[in-house]
Amino acid sequence: MAKIRKRLGDILVEHGLITAEDLNETLQNKTANQKIGDALLQRGLITEQQLIETLEMQLGIPHVSLFRYPFDKNLFNMVPKEMAKRNQLVPLKIEGDKLFIAMTNPMDFITIDDLRLTTGFQIQPAIASKEDVTKTIAKYYDEESYDELIGNMPETQQEQQEDMGDLDAPIVRLVSQILSNAVSLKASDVHIDPQENRVLVRYRIDGALRTERVLPKAMQGMITARIKILSNLDITENRIPQDGRIKTTVDFRPIDLRVSSLPTVYGEKIVMRILDLSANLTDISKLGFSDLNMERFMAEIDKPNGIILISGPTGSGKSSTLYAALNKLNNEEVNIITVEDPVEYQLEGINQIQVNTNVGLTFAVGLRSILRQDPDIVMVGEIRDKETADISIRASLTGHLVLSTIHTNDSIASITRLMDMGIEPFLVTASLNAVVAQRLIRKVCRDCREVHAATDREKHIFAKRGLAIETIARGRGCSQCNMTGYRGRMAIHEVLVVNEEIKDIINRNGSAAEIREVAVKNKTIFLIDDGLLKVKEGMTTTEEVLRVAMMD
């Protein structure tokens, strides 16, 4: 009698990885051609490792971890790079007449047949995670291309200039390679760092910088020139900082890059901020707000007028929160206009203005013009000076909801900062609805997560905030998280609602300590508390929270 194979969703429910409700909801919401495994991954209900282990059980095909796998480099000549990239597979080993292949989709029989015909071997598939396969392709196929590219670099100045426009030129392919690797490793920034005798290519992944490549110093000029050509910068000017933008497609995904060049003693340092346009930035429920913070934030953005400020340092996810709020408010009944520097993500149905100081279009000028455009909601990229703050306040007092960001350490410091700019206290209290302080922290890797007893120091830290802790989750370190124990980032928040008591303190020029007392009384969750609550839930570690939030 034929054995009936269990469905993937049922196996996941049986093993307690998802609930039956999660499965039914995902089945209803997934697109017609989307596999259930991919849909569950997209919603963050399971990890890729959990999916692979379940597929192994369902299909009877073994899974393989490619991290530190002893690859035979000669096999990479047998399977072309294009085929490996297109079909997400890598060759593992040969045994007799069998070629073992790691695939993300071992049920792709057409590709298996193609491989059998092109190699002459019987194909034995194994399951590997998409990330593992992508990293292996980047490491082994691209490493060889790097050496090959460096060897083929033109030597004379004239040859170098001729190469800049040729899409098959080594330097053009090298820059594409650097960007492609950055996207596949989910880097947020690429740094081209000139040193005295070499050039470092560094990626920022989950907030931490790491050196990916060391290139010869002779290649610095060509790499800089190629990136400047792509971002429409002046390649003859290397004495002043320049900013540009690149719109491109990497591995079939639309990518936007913000490029900044800065003259240093060893040449121009280039930093490229990667904005993945396919990333899901617009869902407010995925920002990591706790229930109370979410309730308070939603109540504030539903108000018809007033100012909501989001504070935090560069790279703390302020823009993502603003865009998610705008997306929630966006419908055909409201006119939303933004003035930004630069416009990071283009949102449908929203009018976005790019600041251009060269022609005199500053935040203040843009904002003044916006108010003649009959807006309901205004978003100002950043309040940097008194003039912008004044017009934002005027806009909020004349019936507009204004969203903006400000660079301060916490929510209470934002109120002090506005008054330092020279804004009268009565104007601050009349216009300011709420301040949201935000930081990004790394999440414990779900694949190598282990539960440990909390240390005495951790218990003491929690006790100081009126919390108790017995166990802490930590990542052991695995191939999925590059042995760091962390994978992905989440936000911690502090939502300060400016109520009547706080307004009284501001109006009589009271101290930050008095505002804090009222905030505590109103059950405000401070950054450190939100972080520690997420540690309690096993999502991050105490070290991560203390890295970004200060104890009182």
Side-chain angles (χ1 to χ4, degrees):
M1 194 176 126
K3 187 181 175 186
I4 297 169
R5 192 160 71 199
K6 281 190 177 176
R7 291 183 308 174
L8 177 70
D10 296 335
I11 299 173
L12 289 165
V13 172
E14 251 175 53
H15 286 81
L17 295 171
I18 58 170
T19 63
E21 290 78 41
D22 287 337
L23 177 61
N24 291 332
E25 202 177 311
T26 308
L27 283 167
Q28 282 165 15
N29 296 330
K30 79 179 186 72
T31 55
N33 299 325
Q34 195 178 27
K35 294 178 187 147
I36 183 65
D38 291 340
L40 289 164
L41 270 179
Q42 194 180 337
R43 291 186 63 200
L45 295 170
I46 54 171
T47 68
E48 205 167 358
Q49 196 59 34
Q50 289 168 339
L51 176 62
I52 285 167
E53 285 166 9
T54 313
L55 281 171
E56 178 182 33
M57 204 180 300
Q58 186 202 23
L59 306 173
I61 296 172
H63 90 272
V64 61
S65 169
L66 305 181
F67 189 69
R68 293 185 182 149
Y69 189 89
F71 286 101
D72 176 357
K73 289 194 180 180
N74 297 323
L75 294 182
F76 290 98
N77 300 324
M78 195 180 281
V79 179
K81 178 182 170 182
E82 283 66 36
M83 188 178 199
K85 266 195 159 177
R86 190 175 61 247
N87 300 303
Q88 290 285 293
L89 55 89
V90 285
L92 295 171
K93 59 180 178 180
I94 289 176
E95 279 181 11
D97 66 341
K98 286 181 182 168
L99 171 61
F100 287 78
I101 298 275
M103 307 177 72
T104 56
N105 180 12
M107 304 302 282
D108 185 352
F109 299 118
I110 296 168
T111 301
I112 290 171
D113 274 351
D114 282 354
L115 278 169
R116 187 169 51 76
L117 291 169
T118 52
T119 62
F121 285 91
Q122 291 300 316
I123 304 300
Q124 199 72 34
I127 312 173
S129 75
K130 194 172 182 179
E131 199 158 319
D132 258 6
V133 171
T134 307
K135 281 180 185 171
T136 305
I137 291 171
K139 185 176 179 188
Y140 289 96
Y141 281 103
D142 293 348
E143 202 164 66
E144 286 169 23
S145 350
Y146 261 108
D147 300 337
E148 203 181 296
L149 290 171
I150 291 167
N152 292 335
M153 284 296 169
E155 288 174 19
T156 67
Q157 191 83 28
Q158 192 182 346
E159 283 176 333
Q160 287 177 14
Q161 284 172 355
E162 285 168 5
D163 265 10
M164 285 302 161
D166 180 3
L167 293 179
D168 281 328
I171 189 64
V172 173
R173 280 159 45 214
L174 178 66
V175 171
S176 299
Q177 205 81 272
I178 289 169
L179 294 180
S180 177
N181 284 359
V183 171
S184 65
L185 291 169
K186 295 189 172 67
S188 60
D189 301 83
V190 179
H191 291 237
I192 312 288
D193 270 351
Q195 310 283 304
E196 191 173 3
N197 304 311
R198 58 193 185 152
V199 179
L200 301 181
V201 177
R202 301 199 292 165
Y203 294 158
R204 187 180 291 283
I205 300 169
D206 286 344
L209 266 176
R210 72 160 199 242
T211 301
E212 195 64 25
R213 298 270 163 196
V214 179
L215 301 174
K217 183 73 175 172
M219 293 174 64
Q220 183 182 321
M222 287 185 284
I223 289 175
T224 305
R226 175 62 190 159
I227 293 170
K228 281 180 154 188
I229 287 168
L230 284 172
S231 46
N232 289 325
L233 299 181
D234 182 354
I235 60 169
T236 60
E237 180 57 81
N238 55 16
R239 297 160 302 168
I240 57 168
Q242 294 187 69
D243 292 313
R245 194 167 199 150
I246 303 172
K247 266 199 159 161
T248 183
T249 303
V250 176
D251 296 337
F252 316 109
R253 283 157 71 187
I255 300 291
D256 211 343
L257 297 149
R258 270 170 40 194
V259 182
S260 166
S261 81
L262 186 75
T264 72
V265 286
Y266 296 126
E268 285 179 277
K269 173 181 165 71
I270 290 186
V271 176
M272 293 179 276
R273 163 73 57 91
I274 299 173
L275 305 167
D276 187 346
L277 302 178
S278 61
N280 186 10
L281 271 172
T282 50
D283 190 347
I284 211 159
S285 64
K286 290 192 169 71
L287 295 177
F289 277 104
S290 65
D291 292 344
L292 179 64
N293 280 344
M294 179 65 129
E295 190 186 309
R296 288 181 173 179
F297 184 61
M298 294 302 284
E300 291 308 317
I301 64 171
D302 279 341
K303 288 184 178 173
N305 59 320
I307 296 180
I308 297 166
L309 290 178
I310 299 182
S311 81
T314 309
S316 59
K318 298 188 298 294
S319 299
S320 300
T321 304
L322 275 181
Y323 283 125
L326 287 180
N327 199 55
K328 181 85 177 70
L329 297 165
N330 188 13
N331 63 56
E332 60 179 29
E333 293 169 11
V334 292
N335 178 20
I336 301 177
I337 308 182
T338 77
V339 53
E340 305 168 62
D341 182 22
V343 173
E344 290 189 7
Y345 295 94
Q346 271 107 23
L347 296 175
E348 205 175 323
I350 291 176
N351 310 287
Q352 294 170 282
I353 300 169
Q354 166 78 53
V355 164
N356 185 349
T357 46
N358 296 333
V359 295
L361 178 55
T362 61
F363 276 121
V365 171
L367 193 48
R368 207 174 272 122
S369 307
I370 282 175
L371 297 179
R372 300 188 200 109
Q373 291 275 321
D374 181 34
D376 298 293
I377 297 163
V378 177
M379 192 265 261
V380 186
E382 189 187 335
I383 291 182
R384 293 179 185 168
D385 50 46
K386 184 177 187 297
E387 192 182 3
T388 312
D390 272 336
I391 305 165
S392 300
I393 285 168
R394 207 173 309 139
S396 73
L397 293 174
T398 51
H400 305 95
L401 181 67
V402 180
L403 304 173
S404 188
T405 69
I406 192 163
H407 281 258
T408 55
N409 286 331
D410 60 26
S411 54
I412 296 168
S414 304
I415 297 171
T416 320
R417 174 94 178 89
L418 285 174
M419 293 196 282
D420 285 347
M421 281 180 186
I423 308 294
E424 293 292 341
F426 73 89
L427 285 175
V428 173
T429 55
S431 58
L432 190 61
N433 289 354
V435 186
V436 180
Q438 179 170 319
R439 296 287 186 285
L440 288 179
I441 53 173
R442 292 183 293 173
K443 292 193 284 188
V444 170
C445 172
R446 283 165 66 180
D447 290 321
C448 61
R449 183 177 177 275
E450 291 178 340
V451 176
H452 299 269
T455 63
D456 290 341
R457 181 173 174 269
E458 282 169 329
K459 285 179 180 174
H460 176 65
I461 288 166
F462 274 77
K464 272 182 80 175
R465 306 299 303 177
L467 298 165
I469 186 91
E470 293 304 321
T471 57
I472 298 269
R474 287 185 201 290
R476 184 180 64 252
C478 65
S479 61
Q480 300 298 314
C481 62
N482 250 337
M483 303 309 287
T484 59
Y486 296 103
R487 188 149 178 255
R489 289 192 290 174
M490 68 194 303
I492 56 172
H493 303 93
E494 175 176 305
V495 180
L496 178 73
V497 177
V498 182
N499 63 7
E500 291 306 321
E501 281 184 87
I502 292 176
K503 286 178 180 178
D504 286 344
I505 295 167
I506 296 168
N507 281 332
R508 58 179 166 80
N509 279 323
S511 67
E514 287 178 84
I515 297 174
R516 177 171 281 275
E517 268 178 44
V518 174
V520 170
K521 197 170 77 179
N522 293 339
K523 295 189 170 56
T524 300
I525 300 171
F526 294 102
L527 280 172
I528 185 82
D529 301 319
D530 196 32
L532 294 179
L533 288 168
K534 286 184 166 81
V535 173
K536 216 169 150 59
E537 288 171 34
M539 297 159 106
T540 187
T541 62
T542 320
E543 296 84 16
E544 267 302 290
V545 176
L546 294 178
R547 185 175 62 79
V548 298
M550 285 166 52
M551 290 287 285
D552 297 343

